[in-house]
Amino acid sequence: MASVTIRDVRKAFGAVEIIHGVSIDIADGEFVILVGPSGCGKSTLLRMIAGLENITSGEIAIGDRVVNNVPPKERDIAMVFQNYALYPHMTVAENMAFSMKLRGADKAEMAARVEKAAKILGLTHLLDRYPRQLSGGQRQRVAMGRAIVRDPQVFLFDEPLSNLDAKLRVQMRTEIKELHQRLKTTTVYVTHDQIEAMTMADKIVVMHDGIVEQMGAPLDLYDRPDNLFVAGFIGSPAMNFVKGHIDGQGFAAEGGFTLPVGSAPAASAGRPVVYGLRPEHIRIDAQGIPAEVIVVEPTGSETQVVLRTGGQEMIAVFRERLSARPGETIPIVPTLANAHLFDAETGRRLNA
Amino acid sequence: MSDAAISAPMPRVFERSWAQRMTDRNMLGFWFMLPAAAFLILFLVYPLGLGIWLSFTDARIGRGGVFVGLENYEWILGDSKFQLAVFNTLFYTFVASVLKFAIGLYLAILLNNHLPFKAFIRAIILVPFIVPTVLSAIAFWWIFDPQFSVLSWGLRKWGLISGNIDFLGDPWNARLSVIFANVWRGVPFIAITLLAGLQTVSPSLYEAATLDGASKWQMFRHVTYPILTPIIAVVMTFSVLFTFTDFQLIKVLTNGGPAGTTELMATMSYNTAILGGRIGEGAAISTAMIPFLLGAIMISWFGLQRRKWQQGSDNND
């Protein structure tokens, strides 16, 4: 096991730079998730850690060793691919043992390690099958087995769950997290799914257009996003953004209504500001501003409501059951402590 | 309604059965198959049957011939010229096929890399395959000419040899020369087909193998080659069949000479039956090729049987 240090790493394909100086510290045993929309450079960064892409500038170290010029096989890492990349002509056992076979490991050791990994993943009865004969979830597990068998310093996962159906994805999420808690191997995991990131990570790194927007513990990112991008990316349903400006001690929205603000920095007065409010931080209060109900979506445990006020649409989530019908008007207020203010031009967070 | 049914029952019965005949899956399948089957019977089954029949007769040009049993076969089996032709054919097929496979696979792997002008190079590779065989045979005839050979000329200019090489006049030179021409012609087919196979291999398999610590050779040996085997089996079967039955190249280049050392079974059959007029004997020679060809097909058929790893999820045990 080892830490991974990424220092001001850049990647250019020809003249086009797609990663613009990324620095991330990954502690020994940490589960770090790189998350971002497609094209943000997260997979490229992972492939650079693996050694499948070379590093244009900057430094990547695994443990104390800078690996910029170390070939992939000597980096002591194992990777799980999005399409699993299982060798179709080898059985499950042969797939898992392939790296050891190439090293010339002895048969007894190979069998023992395959056996152990298969046991961890519940693959023992499938060892003689070929990948074609397995279901998606089983293939996924074999791909992880191939990584576990190598007992590497670092596990790399490249969108491993995106080829699975929704139910299996939730199940595998738990399995991967459990596996990490058991093996405690440093893990770097790439996904575009913020739910995966929130539920599994020790630390989330949100990437966008080749830079790191913010990194930190999942709930820190959720509670205190540094900028508009992170605020909009993390959380589902997404945070509501209301355009307007700071006016005295309140927030004057474009639609003509006013929302209360906790601690607005004085400097922002008069400038265009975005007021961010998560759906669950909207309450019904008789003193609130009137909002028209557009759509009501009950899920049983909660009720999601699309509202419109002053020409701006918002989504609210209520824990209690709601009797409101589309077309009706309900009075709403924000939970003041959970309101976020962002500069509309720079996207930066304004309130503390 | 009922009146009409009573007064005209026949057309309705006919109509129904016709409609049934046209919608029944088996009948419909038969109708769709018929044109192709007729074509195959007329141009493949009939000539093949006729050839086999003629090999049991003493037919000559202009004379029908009578059934003589296995006489023709007894005669050709004892004929040293026929034995030589069988040896030549096997040697020609084996050496040319091995060379074509090796060079074709190598080219395919080269072309599978990212090269500048990739599409252009791939198109160029196909040229020997596109040129009509007789034309390329005539070109090789000049290249191998005892006096005007460009190869001899080049080697002489470089000072590597002092006199012209007699490419087609010396038995082994002639054998190797015709093999060279056949390889030149046959490589593109194999290279392009194998290239198509290589491109179906997912790049992530190579990445996985890289991380597993495979060298270039190990990657080829343990990943590329096993995944490619089904395509190799198909393409090599075709290659062996085409090479074994080769006629045009030999006919133009050496016509079997010198002294029968490049005579293949196909050219010998033609020379015996059409030029020599001994149709029964010639038919026996070409019929004698059938067991060899069947053998080649059987080998690939067993090699081709779907391997377990290619079977789908329907086959779970």
Side-chain angles (χ1 to χ4, degrees):
Chain A
M1 272 174 265
S3 62
V4 177
T5 315
I6 300 169
R7 275 280 151 270
D8 196 28
V9 161
R10 287 165 190 276
K11 175 71 187 177
F13 289 107
V16 187
E17 193 176 84
I18 57 154
I19 293 182
H20 316 287
V22 165
S23 300
I24 304 170
D25 282 312
I26 298 166
D28 187 6
E30 201 170 21
F31 195 128
V32 170
I33 295 193
L34 308 179
V35 66
S38 49
C40 71
K42 56 192 191 297
S43 278
T44 309
L45 189 61
L46 190 80
R47 292 166 59 83
M48 283 156 85
I49 299 173
L52 296 171
E53 300 280 356
N54 55 24
I55 300 162
T56 308
S57 78
E59 224 174 63
I60 293 181
I62 296 174
D64 300 329
R65 184 170 62 144
V66 174
V67 294
N68 285 33
N69 296 313
V70 176
K73 64 173 171 179
E74 286 161 29
R75 292 190 182 193
D76 203 4
I77 42 124
M79 185 155 167
V80 176
F81 292 84
Q82 179 175 358
N83 63 359
Y84 319 135
L86 299 178
Y87 309 114
H89 55 289
M90 298 184 195
T91 62
V92 168
E94 285 165 346
N95 261 287
M96 284 163 62
F98 188 54
S99 62
M100 290 187 284
K101 186 178 158 193
L102 293 176
R103 269 196 288 113
D106 71 62
K107 285 231 161 69
E109 189 206 340
M110 256 158 61
R113 289 175 82 161
V114 167
E115 189 64 32
K116 193 177 151 208
K119 214 168 164 189
I120 292 174
L121 293 163
L123 289 170
T124 313
H125 62 295
L126 300 173
L127 283 176
D128 293 328
R129 299 262 184 102
Y130 287 93
R132 278 256 171 122
Q133 301 167 315
L134 302 178
S135 69
Q138 290 168 334
R139 285 181 209 180
Q140 170 63 55
R141 252 180 244 141
V142 176
M144 293 200 296
R146 196 164 62 176
I148 292 172
V149 157
R150 305 206 12 215
D151 191 19
Q153 302 272 347
V154 183
F155 280 134
L156 305 176
F157 289 85
D158 188 6
E159 309 224 10
L161 304 184
S162 44
N163 286 3
L164 300 179
D165 64 59
K167 198 171 174 187
L168 205 52
R169 207 177 298 166
V170 174
Q171 185 192 330
M172 290 307 293
R173 222 155 67 189
T174 317
E175 273 185 41
I176 293 177
K177 191 168 181 177
E178 209 181 297
L179 193 70
H180 176 255
Q181 283 164 1
R182 181 165 170 179
L183 301 175
K184 298 194 171 55
T185 306
T186 312
T187 302
V188 185
Y189 185 111
V190 162
T191 180
H192 61 267
D193 182 353
Q194 56 92 20
I195 299 260
E196 262 173 47
M198 288 297 289
T199 50
M200 296 163 75
D202 293 329
K203 179 156 88 184
I204 295 181
V205 178
V206 181
M207 291 185 68
H208 181 220
D209 285 345
I211 58 159
V212 172
E213 293 279 1
Q214 189 177 358
M215 56 182 138
L219 291 179
D220 290 348
L221 260 61
Y222 188 83
D223 290 339
R224 207 175 167 286
D226 270 355
N227 52 49
L228 268 175
F229 179 79
V230 176
F233 193 80
I234 300 286
S236 173
M239 188 187 281
N240 297 299
F241 293 129
V242 183
K243 289 178 192 154
H245 61 273
I246 300 292
D247 182 12
Q249 273 312 296
F251 170 83
E254 269 174 15
F257 58 94
T258 307
L259 294 168
V261 211
S263 57
S268 58
R271 296 186 57 193
V273 160
V274 174
Y275 191 98
L277 195 59
R278 294 209 181 271
E280 68 269 29
H281 297 145
I282 293 176
R283 284 185 296 118
I284 299 179
D285 189 307
Q287 311 296 316
I289 46 174
E292 187 193 353
V293 176
I294 310 290
V295 178
V296 181
E297 298 171 345
T299 63
S301 65
E302 56 192 25
T303 310
Q304 191 170 316
V305 183
V306 180
L307 301 164
R308 186 182 295 149
T309 176
Q312 308 211 41
E313 258 183 32
M314 279 195 256
I315 293 176
V317 171
F318 302 108
R319 298 292 306 176
E320 65 270 29
R321 305 234 163 142
L322 212 65
S323 58
R325 300 196 162 277
E328 291 177 8
T329 301
I330 54 172
I332 55 165
V333 290
T335 315
L336 200 53
N338 301 110
H340 310 268
L341 285 177
F342 301 98
D343 187 310
E345 275 159 25
T346 62
R348 290 256 171 74
R349 183 180 186 85
L350 292 174
N351 58 336
Chain B
M1 226 13 230
S2 57
D3 274 9
I6 293 161
S7 63
M10 286 306 286
R12 284 195 68 182
V13 169
F14 174 74
E15 218 174 291
R16 193 185 305 148
S17 73
W18 178 249
Q20 255 170 12
R21 216 178 293 170
M22 291 311 289
T23 50
D24 181 63
R25 286 180 62 87
N26 292 332
M27 279 311 279
L28 212 56
F30 176 76
W31 291 120
F32 284 145
M33 203 188 65
L34 199 59
F39 203 81
L40 287 177
I41 290 167
L42 190 61
F43 293 107
L44 278 174
V45 179
Y46 170 69
L48 183 67
L50 185 63
I52 293 172
W53 164 249
L54 284 173
S55 73
F56 294 115
T57 70
D58 62 352
R60 289 172 162 270
I61 288 186
R63 202 192 68 193
V66 294
F67 184 78
V68 292
L70 293 173
E71 208 173 278
N72 286 324
Y73 291 96
E74 282 163 26
W75 162 247
I76 60 166
L77 284 178
D79 182 8
S80 63
K81 276 172 73 187
F82 175 75
Q83 290 159 2
L84 183 62
V86 171
F87 166 77
N88 289 338
T89 311
L90 291 175
F91 179 77
Y92 181 75
T93 307
F94 180 76
V95 177
S97 297
V98 168
L99 287 176
K100 278 190 276 194
F101 173 63
I103 299 171
L105 185 58
Y106 179 71
L107 268 180
I109 290 169
L110 277 187
L111 289 176
N112 199 32
N113 294 329
H114 290 290
L115 296 169
F117 311 113
K118 191 157 63 179
F120 181 71
I121 294 173
R122 283 180 188 170
I124 289 285
I125 292 284
L126 274 175
V127 165
F129 189 58
I130 297 164
V131 178
T133 314
V134 174
L135 287 189
S136 52
I138 289 172
F140 271 107
W141 189 29
W142 277 100
I143 291 171
F144 295 143
D145 190 272
Q147 281 182 57
F148 306 113
S149 165
V150 66
L151 286 178
S152 293
W153 179 82
L155 292 171
R156 259 204 346 255
K157 285 281 171 193
W158 279 28
L160 293 173
I161 53 170
S162 52
N164 277 0
I165 299 171
D166 190 6
F167 285 107
L168 300 177
D170 172 83
W172 281 102
N173 278 359
R175 280 180 181 136
L176 297 177
S177 298
V178 292
I179 285 174
F180 181 86
N182 179 278
V183 168
W184 180 84
R185 204 186 137 59
V187 157
F189 170 65
I190 294 177
I192 293 296
T193 315
L194 293 184
L195 176 62
L198 282 177
Q199 293 188 326
T200 63
V201 182
S202 160
S204 61
L205 286 185
Y206 294 120
E207 292 180 345
T210 306
L211 296 181
D212 276 340
S215 63
K216 284 263 178 225
W217 164 249
Q218 285 172 323
M219 235 180 261
F220 174 77
R221 169 72 191 76
H222 296 294
V223 180
T224 313
Y225 183 75
I227 294 177
L228 221 50
T229 41
I231 285 181
I232 290 175
V234 174
V235 74
M236 286 319 292
T237 308
F238 277 102
S239 176
V240 164
L241 296 189
F242 289 150
T243 313
F244 196 90
T245 55
D246 198 5
F247 175 81
Q248 296 182 62
L249 260 181
I250 301 290
K251 186 72 192 161
V252 174
L253 273 180
T254 63
N255 198 14
T261 46
T262 58
E263 188 87 285
L264 302 185
M265 290 167 85
T267 54
M268 188 182 181
S269 165
Y270 176 83
N271 289 340
T272 308
I274 309 298
L275 301 184
R278 301 191 301 280
I279 290 181
E281 220 177 287
I285 295 171
S286 56
T287 305
M289 293 167 78
I290 293 175
F292 291 101
L293 298 177
L294 280 181
I297 292 172
M298 293 301 271
I299 289 172
S300 79
W301 191 73
F302 285 115
L304 262 180
Q305 274 188 329
R306 302 220 307 159
R307 282 146 216 273
K308 209 169 174 211
W309 62 266
Q310 290 175 284
Q311 286 167 351
S313 51
D314 47 76
N315 213 325
N316 266 344
D317 290 305

